[in-house]
Amino acid sequence: MRKLGKPTDQRMAMLRNMVTVLIDNGRMETTYMRAKEVSSLADKMIALGKENNLANKRRAMSFMTSEDVVRKLFDEVSPKYADRNGGFTRITKLGPRRGDAAEAAVIELV
C-alpha cells in the first residue's frame, strides 16, 4: 500500500471516503496514485457485494461511510458484475493537473 503522504488514519479515512463516492457516483477524478489505491479497494467491495448476506453487508458497512451507498452496492452495483470475475474499475490518465502538475486520472466503474 502506498502512503500517499499521509499518516495511516488519515489515509484510510480518505480512501474509505473515495470508495464511497466512487460507488455512489460511478466515476471520479483524482490523482493517478490515489486512483490505483481506490481501484483495489473498490474491487474488493464490489466482490463482497456479489454475495448478498448479512455478514458481507456488515463488513461493507464497517468500511464505507454511508448506509445508502452500501444498500446501492448490494442492490444495484454488484448484481451488474455477477458474471465478471474482477476488474470492475477503469483508470484513465488525464495528464498533469494544472496548479501542482500531479498526474491526474479518472477512475470509473466499467
Side-chain angles (χ1 to χ4, degrees), residues 53-69:
N53 59 30
L54 183 60
N56 286 348
K57 284 184 181 179
R58 287 181 176 169
R59 286 183 64 194
M61 276 300 297
S62 71
F63 185 78
M64 290 198 279
T65 59
S66 173
E67 189 173 333
D68 295 332
V69 177

Side-chain angles (χ1 to χ4, degrees), residues 3 9 14 21 29-30 40 48-49 54 63 67-68 72 98-99 103-104 109:
K3 293 192 177 183
D9 58 340
M14 177 189 66
V21 168
E29 185 175 330
T30 184
S40 68
L48 191 68
L54 183 60
F63 185 78
E67 189 173 333
D68 295 332
K72 181 178 180 179
R98 189 173 179 184
E103 186 70 31
L109 298 176

Side-chain angles (χ1 to χ4, degrees), residues 30-82:
T30 184
T31 64
Y32 180 66
M33 286 299 149
R34 287 181 182 181
K36 286 178 74 171
E37 289 299 314
V38 169
S39 175
S40 68
L41 294 172
D43 284 352
K44 289 176 187 175
M45 285 295 113
I46 293 171
L48 191 68
K50 287 167 87 174
E51 186 179 342
N52 192 354
N53 59 30
L54 183 60
N56 286 348
K57 284 184 181 179
R58 287 181 176 169
R59 286 183 64 194
M61 276 300 297
S62 71
F63 185 78
M64 290 198 279
T65 59
S66 173
E67 189 173 333
D68 295 332
V69 177
V70 172
R71 193 173 299 115
K72 181 178 180 179
L73 171 70
F74 280 87
D75 295 340
E76 299 172 21
V77 177
S78 290
K80 282 195 323 189
Y81 301 111

